[in-house]
Amino acid sequence: MSHDAAAQALANADFTLIARRFADAGWAVGLPAEGILAVSAPASDGRRPRLLLSVGVHGDETAPITMLACLLDAISRMPAALACDLMLVVGNPAAIAQGKRFLEVDLNRLFRTQREGLDGMREAARADAIMQAVSAFFGGDGVNGDGLRWHLDLHTAIRPSRYPTFAVVPDVIAETEKPGLLGFLGAAGIGAAILSGSAAGTFSAWTAARFAATSATLELGQVSALAGNDPGRFADTRAAIDALLRRGKPVGGRMPEVFRVSQELTKHSDAFRMAFGKDTVNFTPLEPGSLIAEDGGTAYRVGKQTEYVVFPNPDVRPGLRAGLMVVKTSFPQVQG
Ligand SMILES: [Zn+2]
C-alpha cells in the first residue's frame, strides 16, 4: 500500500486493512466508534503499556495523518513488534472530509463537562464519543493497573513558528513522569515544550487530568493539504513514536526549551482586539509591559519578563481562548 493510499484511508477513518492485519495475528481489535480503533495483545493482562495516538482533532491538520498512516502501515505488517496496547483516534472525520478545522465549534475545547452552551454542536457529540472510548481504554479511574498510559495528540499549527515543532504539556502530569516525557519530546525533534496549567478543554489536558496519563499536544509544522504531505517530514518524530510503539517505553533525548504559561488570553466579547496581527509568528517575544490585547475595558499586558505569544487567534468565539502568553523556565523548577 502506498503512503498516499494509507494516508487517505486514515483520513477517511478507514481502519479496515490495519484492523484485519492485527486481527489475523490474534490481537483483540475493537472499533468502539467511527474513526477509533483499539488493539490489544493476545492475553493482554491490562498491564501492558497503553498508548493513545490521536490525529485530525483539527480537520485541516493533515501532516500527522500522513506520518501516523506510514507508521501504522509498517507496524501492522508485524503485529508482534507492537509492545503496547494501542488506541488510535481520528478526531474529527467530518471536518477532515471537508478540509476544515471544525464544522461548528473547535473540538479541542470540548474535552470537559462544562461546555458553556456548546452542547448541541456536532463536535460536542464527537467529543462525547471519543471520551467514552478513551475511558474504556485507559480504564475508568485508573483502577486497571499502574502501567504506562501515554497520549500523544498530533497537530499542526495554523501559523509559522520560531520553533517549527513544539508541544503543549499539561502541568498536572506527575513530576516523576515529566523528565521522561520531555526527553522523549526532545528525541522526537520537538524544539520547545510549554507546561500549561490550564485545561482549556483540550484532549491531552483531559487525558492527563482524568487518567493521570502522560500526555502532550504536539504541533508539527503547519496546516497543509493531505495530498502534498511529504512522508519524510518529521522523521525524528516518526522515529521516536515508532520506538515507543516497539519498546513500550520512550527513548530519551536532549531537553527541548521549556516554557510555562504566564497568562491565558480569553476572549470575553466581540470587542476583543489584539495589539499585533493575527499572522504573528508563534513564540514572537513581547517586551515587559507592552500591550497584548484589549477587550472592552480590560487590557492584557506583558508582565515583568519577556513573554512569547503562542496560538494567537482573535477569531474564536467569545468565552474561548484567543491565545497564550508563555515565559522561559528552567526544568525542573517548573513553578518558576
Ligand atoms: Zn490543531
Side-chain angles (χ1 to χ4, degrees):
M1 196 177 200
S2 76
H3 287 309
D4 278 348
Q8 191 59 59
L10 188 60
N12 293 344
D14 176 3
F15 288 118
T16 308
L17 184 57
I18 304 284
R20 192 174 68 222
R21 287 175 181 161
F22 280 107
D24 286 350
W27 287 58
V29 175
L31 292 160
E34 182 198 9
I36 304 179
L37 175 72
V39 293
S40 55
S44 176
D45 60 1
R47 294 202 171 270
R48 280 164 63 91
R50 274 168 278 176
L51 174 61
L52 168 63
L53 296 174
S54 48
V55 293
V57 166
H58 291 136
D60 58 349
E61 299 177 357
T62 61
I65 295 176
T66 301
M67 182 186 71
L68 185 61
C70 298
L71 274 175
L72 294 174
D73 185 54
I75 200 155
S76 64
R77 294 171 190 273
M78 45 177 76
L82 181 60
C84 43
D85 290 348
L86 182 63
M87 176 168 275
L88 306 167
V89 171
V90 179
N92 198 338
I96 294 170
Q98 296 191 27
K100 292 181 175 172
R101 183 172 176 82
F102 53 80
L103 297 182
E104 295 185 319
V105 64
D106 189 339
L107 174 61
N108 211 26
R109 297 291 178 274
L110 299 179
F111 291 91
R112 53 182 163 187
T113 48
Q114 289 298 319
R115 290 180 179 156
E116 284 133 43
L118 301 175
D119 261 326
M121 303 284 180
R122 291 178 66 175
E123 273 81 9
R126 182 59 182 160
D128 286 339
I130 294 171
M131 290 162 82
Q132 189 174 358
V134 170
S135 295
F137 179 64
F138 275 150
D141 293 310
V143 293
N144 286 352
D146 317 314
L148 176 145
R149 280 190 289 272
W150 269 50
H151 175 206
L152 302 175
D153 188 26
L154 308 178
H155 288 245
T156 60
I158 298 175
R159 66 199 69 255
S161 174
R162 291 192 172 205
Y163 296 93
T165 58
F166 62 98
V168 180
V169 174
D171 208 12
V172 298
I173 291 172
E175 294 303 317
T176 50
E177 300 301 320
K178 281 178 184 162
L181 176 60
L182 291 170
F184 166 83
L185 293 173
I190 301 297
I194 301 167
L195 294 166
S196 173
S198 160
T202 67
F203 193 6
S204 67
W206 177 73
T207 52
R210 181 74 178 79
F211 304 106
T214 301
S215 305
T217 303
L218 274 60
E219 302 285 349
L220 308 171
Q222 275 187 265
V223 165
S224 58
L226 186 70
N229 287 330
D230 171 6
R233 281 177 82 200
F234 316 120
D236 290 349
T237 311
R238 180 179 162 178
I241 296 175
D242 192 52
L244 187 59
L245 291 167
R246 293 168 192 269
R247 288 160 37 106
K249 56 185 179 186
V251 291
R254 56 161 183 75
M255 288 285 179
E257 185 84 61
V258 181
F259 296 81
R260 67 175 170 78
V261 175
S262 52
Q263 33 182 336
E264 190 171 352
L265 309 176
T266 300
K267 177 175 177 174
H268 291 295
S269 76
D270 288 323
F272 185 89
R273 296 285 179 275
M274 283 182 167
F276 39 81
K278 56 189 282 191
D279 53 352
T280 300
V281 172
N282 276 327
F283 293 96
T284 295
L286 295 179
E287 294 306 309
S290 53
L291 183 67
I292 302 165
E294 290 177 297
D295 197 353
T298 307
Y300 293 97
R301 288 187 181 278
V302 177
K304 290 194 172 78
Q305 64 182 114
T306 300
E307 298 185 10
Y308 302 79
V309 60
V310 188
F311 303 129
N313 186 2
D315 299 331
V316 297
R317 288 167 184 268
L320 295 184
R321 189 177 79 189
L324 286 181
M325 301 303 295
V326 301
V327 292
K328 284 186 180 175
T329 188
S330 55
F331 188 83
Q333 290 88 11
V334 293
Q335 297 304 330

